[in-house]
Amino acid sequence: MNPEQVREFDLKADINQLTRFLIQQQQADGTWRFCFENGTIIDAYMIILLRTLHYEDEAFIQQLHQRIIKEQLPNGCWKLYEDEEDGNLAATIDNLQALLFSGYSQLNDDSILKAKQFIRSRGGITNTKGLLCKAMLAITGQQRWPKAISSIPMEMLLLPTYLPINFFEFSGYSRVHLIPMLIMAKQDFHIQSPYPLDDLFVSPSTRYEAEEFESASYQQMQERIEEGRNRLLGSSLNDIASEKAVQFMLDRIEDDGTLYSYASSTILMVFSLLALGYDRQHPTIKKAIEGLIQMRCYSSSHTVTIQNSPSTIWDTALLSYALQQANVKASHPAILKANSYIVNMQQHKKGDWSVHNEGAAPGGWGFSESNTINPDIDDTTAALRAIYSMSQENESYKEASVLGLNWVLSMQNSDGGWPAFEKNVDNKMVTWLALDGAKAAAIDPSTADLTGRTLEYLGHYSKLKHDNHHIQRGIRWLMNNQEADGSWYGKWGICYIYGTWAALTGLSAVGITSSDKQVQKAIEWLYSIQNRDGGWGESCTSDRRMQYTPLHHSTPSQTAWALDALIAMHDRPTSAINRGIKRLMALINENGWPTIYPTGAGLPGNFYVHYHSYRYIYPLLALSHYYEKYV
């Protein structure tokens, strides 16, 4: 037997093993509730917030403290991912503050002394670029509010949407974080930290004198905002704008008390309400804390952590689809329960997405269970794949599918690609803000992963012909945005492997074959980065450098993505594909750090996600597609 040949018996056994395991993990309500693990940043901010509110649950605070301590490295720092060079300054500052706020760490503890030494060795507190870290330092009174925030006029909220700069030119994610920070900055809000960090400033003067560099583009953006403000009439615009800012937050609080279903924005919102004089026991604040605490899960180190936005809908849709790809029938109880849950989570009211897409009817799905006003393209196409079989026979599922398809088509950007949340929110001017991460977070442009995944859905599951103008425009966008080396950059996964997988599977679904020169180049790129062990692995550093950076280890999800793309483009398995499948089959049963490496992306250099579900979903899909096509 050829050593690279995949044994049919072993392959089918692994598919069945994964299938049985996942069905056993399903909850009674039809969902899968895997952890959406995102480092220690939310845990740190929760400790500071709970202590500020005099929250009485010592056991919970101690659990968060233990989680942070457990993740600290011997040199005193914290990292966002295993191979991050030199540690992460912002994470270390955040965690140091949280440990001290908790009361379970003291100034002379070895962990505190090492963390402080690491911060000093990296230039001190003022050397951090992380916006949320800077905001928390301002909240705790360690330094002034960043000028990049405090200099933004609140009246920007009043600018009409027809002006070149207005508040809805920012992405939805950035809006719900920017508003509470603007409120606090205008109030010059801070709490009294029990542990001033004066010894972590490189010199005494930098605490109040350090200001961000103002580029010419940033100054130009400020001038445009000022022009818009001067066109408004009235003498009390600031008061009106401040009232609108507060109402903006209150209008977007979900039933669980969170702001837009994000923990990070909810924490900022609570602090901003305190800045406005809200009592610590105010119902809005109490409800927000209840919602945050409901976001608990167990991390890969078996400690309690707070998810930034639980991935229940996303995981449930993907797992229903993956199981069906593994030949679990749509009539199976697990699929029936999952799809019943999914169809009930479809959104039927307009949210902020309708500002730039006013005429479209609702019909999308969100990421988290509490999310009722912020649907996105990826969750919607995932849900539509999951319920496809049932939509062919059941009228209510058919209606949901039609609504979802129409919403997805309506959200296509003018450039032909698809965004994540909002249509045509790609004004480069707002990225000129002097804020770390503004380029990635301030706008919501077309991306290869969203465009590729949408084309994959349209090609395989919609009734549209491949010469449909939506499909053709999507193809053109992908072809025009391929990297020089043949890869595509993916925004919501790590990173070039993710984008290339989405692009190739999408192009294959709409009839583009391996004979296409650009497809050939992408295939050659995937082969060129295959690890010696047969798998694939990419470092989170890729999205900071904006070029592919090898991890030098194979991860389950990235190996599955690369294989799924190659399987889509090859009529027969190559020796490289077979080696990859054998490595993937081994990875399923491994438990080293590469199997829990974060392959979900959020904000380059600041926020990465270890989806606990990914080590099951994508291997099951790749193995099933291999079996269906080649065996």
Side-chain angles (χ1 to χ4, degrees):
M1 179 184 291
N2 186 326
E4 293 176 347
Q5 186 174 340
V6 178
R7 285 164 50 99
E8 178 183 348
F9 176 81
D10 292 338
L11 177 60
K12 187 61 176 176
D14 280 353
I15 292 172
N16 289 339
Q17 177 188 348
L18 270 175
T19 298
R20 287 193 300 269
F21 169 78
L22 289 168
I23 290 174
Q24 290 169 0
Q25 296 299 308
Q26 189 179 31
Q27 303 296 308
D29 63 356
T31 64
W32 281 272
R33 297 178 183 271
F34 285 98
C35 187
F36 176 86
E37 186 178 344
N38 32 248
T40 56
I41 181 173
I42 305 301
D43 304 328
Y45 295 165
M46 270 296 282
I47 288 175
I48 296 172
L49 178 61
L50 294 178
R51 283 300 188 215
T52 302
L53 296 173
H54 306 310
Y55 184 76
E56 296 180 359
D57 188 343
E58 289 303 312
F60 178 49
I61 294 173
Q62 193 167 17
Q63 285 175 329
L64 296 178
H65 172 269
Q66 289 170 347
R67 151 103 164 124
I68 293 173
I69 283 289
K70 193 168 185 177
E71 298 296 325
Q72 189 177 26
L73 296 174
N75 71 343
C77 79
W78 282 263
K79 289 184 175 183
L80 300 181
Y81 49 91
E82 179 75 20
D83 59 318
E84 184 176 28
E85 295 179 4
D86 302 325
N88 189 278
L89 179 58
T92 304
I93 293 170
D94 287 335
N95 289 328
L96 171 66
Q97 284 222 90
L99 292 178
L100 292 173
F101 261 85
S102 76
Y104 293 106
S105 288
Q106 305 302 321
L107 284 170
N108 59 351
D109 288 354
D110 190 51
S111 59
I112 298 299
L113 295 175
K114 285 184 175 180
K116 284 192 168 188
Q117 179 56 40
F118 175 83
I119 293 169
R120 291 191 198 98
S121 73
R122 297 302 183 271
I125 280 178
T126 54
N127 218 28
T128 183
K129 293 181 173 61
L131 175 60
L132 287 179
C133 180
K134 287 183 176 183
M136 193 56 65
L137 286 168
I139 288 170
T140 56
Q142 305 291 355
Q143 64 181 26
R144 284 181 174 171
W145 277 93
K147 188 176 180 181
I149 294 294
S150 62
S151 61
I152 297 175
M154 190 75 78
E155 293 90 338
M156 186 178 184
L157 274 73
L158 304 177
L159 300 181
T161 55
Y162 60 77
L163 291 179
I165 283 288
N166 65 81
F167 198 56
F168 280 91
E169 291 299 303
F170 289 88
S171 70
Y173 178 85
S174 61
R175 289 195 301 268
V176 295
H177 288 80
L178 190 57
I179 282 286
M181 286 193 284
L182 284 177
I183 291 171
M184 287 186 280
K186 298 308 178 187
Q187 297 287 334
D188 194 21
F189 171 74
H190 66 269
I191 59 176
Q192 186 63 46
S193 171
Y195 297 102
L197 303 179
D198 295 357
D199 56 331
L200 297 182
F201 291 86
V202 292
S203 67
S205 62
T206 57
R207 181 170 186 173
Y208 294 112
E209 292 179 4
E211 293 289 0
E212 293 79 10
F213 172 74
E214 292 187 13
S215 66
S217 57
Y218 173 69
Q219 293 173 356
Q220 182 180 349
M221 189 206 67
Q222 287 280 6
E223 290 171 2
R224 290 290 180 90
I225 295 174
E226 187 65 27
E227 287 175 12
R229 180 166 63 171
N230 290 338
R231 291 173 66 175
L232 297 173
L233 300 176
S235 58
S236 58
L237 290 182
N238 189 264
D239 290 341
I240 296 172
S242 296
E243 291 174 6
K244 186 167 184 175
V246 177
Q247 197 60 47
F248 181 93
M249 293 191 302
L250 298 179
D251 288 345
R252 287 158 182 80
I253 294 176
E254 293 284 8
D255 288 343
D256 68 344
T258 62
L259 175 59
Y260 236 45
S261 75
Y262 297 130
S264 50
S265 57
T266 304
I267 290 169
L268 291 173
M269 176 188 73
V270 173
F271 278 120
S272 71
L273 294 177
L274 294 176
L276 293 167
Y278 279 56
D279 185 82
R280 291 194 299 264
Q281 297 299 315
H282 191 281
T284 301
I285 291 178
K286 291 179 69 175
K287 184 68 174 177
I289 299 302
E290 290 172 6
L292 288 168
I293 292 173
Q294 289 173 9
M295 293 183 175
R296 283 182 292 191
C297 71
Y298 281 96
S299 71
S300 51
S301 61
H302 307 292
T303 52
V304 170
T305 187
I306 301 292
Q307 305 167 91
N308 193 47
S309 49
S311 52
T312 308
I313 296 176
W314 176 242
D315 286 340
T316 301
L318 288 178
L319 283 162
S320 173
Y321 166 68
L323 288 169
Q324 290 176 76
Q325 292 292 289
N327 284 323
V328 177
K329 302 299 183 183
S331 57
H332 190 285
I335 305 303
L336 290 174
K337 288 193 297 182
N339 287 353
S340 175
Y341 170 85
I342 290 166
V343 79
N344 286 328
M345 289 294 107
Q346 188 172 30
Q347 297 184 14
H348 297 286
K349 58 184 178 183
K350 291 194 172 185
D352 288 343
W353 59 267
S354 63
V355 171
H356 295 281
N357 193 11
E358 187 175 0
W365 277 264
F367 183 75
S368 298
E369 192 168 58
S370 62
N371 178 344
T372 67
I373 54 175
N374 187 33
D376 67 272
I377 298 297
D378 229 0
D379 278 284
T380 300
T381 59
L384 291 170
R385 287 186 196 91
I387 66 172
Y388 173 76
S389 293
M390 298 179 72
S391 71
Q392 303 305 294
E393 302 174 355
N394 184 297
E395 194 61 33
S396 63
Y397 283 86
K398 181 178 181 179
E399 182 181 347
S401 291
V402 171
L403 283 173
L405 171 61
N406 288 338
W407 185 79
V408 167
L409 295 176
S410 78
M411 292 292 289
Q412 188 172 25
N413 281 335
S414 298
D415 61 12
W418 272 271
F421 296 99
E422 297 181 15
K423 183 177 182 177
N424 292 331
V425 181
D426 192 17
N427 187 338
K428 301 298 188 297
M429 196 178 298
V430 302
T431 68
W432 298 345
L433 273 174
L435 301 173
D436 182 50
K439 184 176 181 181
I443 56 177
D444 187 8
S446 298
T447 65
D449 45 335
L450 270 300
T451 303
R453 298 303 295 143
T454 303
L455 288 178
E456 192 277 339
Y457 161 69
L458 294 177
H460 281 151
Y461 302 103
S462 77
K463 305 294 185 184
L464 303 180
K465 302 295 185 182
H466 293 167
D467 60 356
N468 175 272
H469 72 283
H470 288 287
I471 292 175
Q472 290 302 310
R473 290 172 60 223
I475 293 172
R476 282 196 297 273
W477 187 92
L478 277 179
M479 294 304 197
N480 290 336
N481 285 274
Q482 188 178 26
E483 302 291 327
D485 62 5
S487 67
W488 278 270
Y489 174 79
K491 178 179 172 63
W492 300 100
I494 304 298
C495 187
Y496 291 93
I497 294 177
Y498 185 71
T500 304
W501 160 68
L504 287 181
T505 52
L507 291 171
S508 174
V510 294
I512 308 300
T513 68
S514 59
S515 63
D516 181 272
K517 289 184 178 180
Q518 287 185 251
V519 169
Q520 287 179 6
K521 194 171 185 179
I523 292 171
E524 290 168 4
W525 179 79
L526 282 174
Y527 283 137
S528 75
I529 63 167
Q530 187 175 20
N531 291 332
R532 289 184 179 181
D533 67 2
W536 281 261
E538 180 177 358
S539 171
C540 293
T541 305
S542 286
D543 68 358
R544 298 168 77 171
R545 295 179 178 172
M546 293 303 293
Q547 64 180 38
Y548 171 76
T549 305
L551 181 61
H552 302 299
H553 292 81
S554 298
T555 71
S557 56
Q558 290 168 332
T559 298
W561 292 334
L563 285 168
D564 203 37
L566 294 171
I567 292 167
M569 286 297 177
H570 286 295
D571 292 331
R572 293 185 178 87
T574 64
S575 60
I577 290 175
N578 283 339
R579 287 195 302 117
I581 287 291
K582 293 182 74 173
R583 182 68 187 110
L584 183 60
M585 292 164 67
L587 278 167
I588 291 171
N589 299 306
E590 293 181 6
N591 289 300
W593 68 260
T595 63
I596 60 173
Y597 189 82
T599 57
L603 186 61
N606 291 280
F607 194 86
Y608 300 94
V609 183
H610 165 40
Y611 287 88
H612 288 206
S613 61
Y614 276 19
R615 66 178 299 181
Y616 309 115
I617 294 170
Y618 294 109
L620 181 58
L621 279 173
L623 295 177
S624 299
H625 290 161
Y626 180 99
Y627 188 88
E628 182 69 23
K629 191 168 187 176
Y630 302 138
V631 177

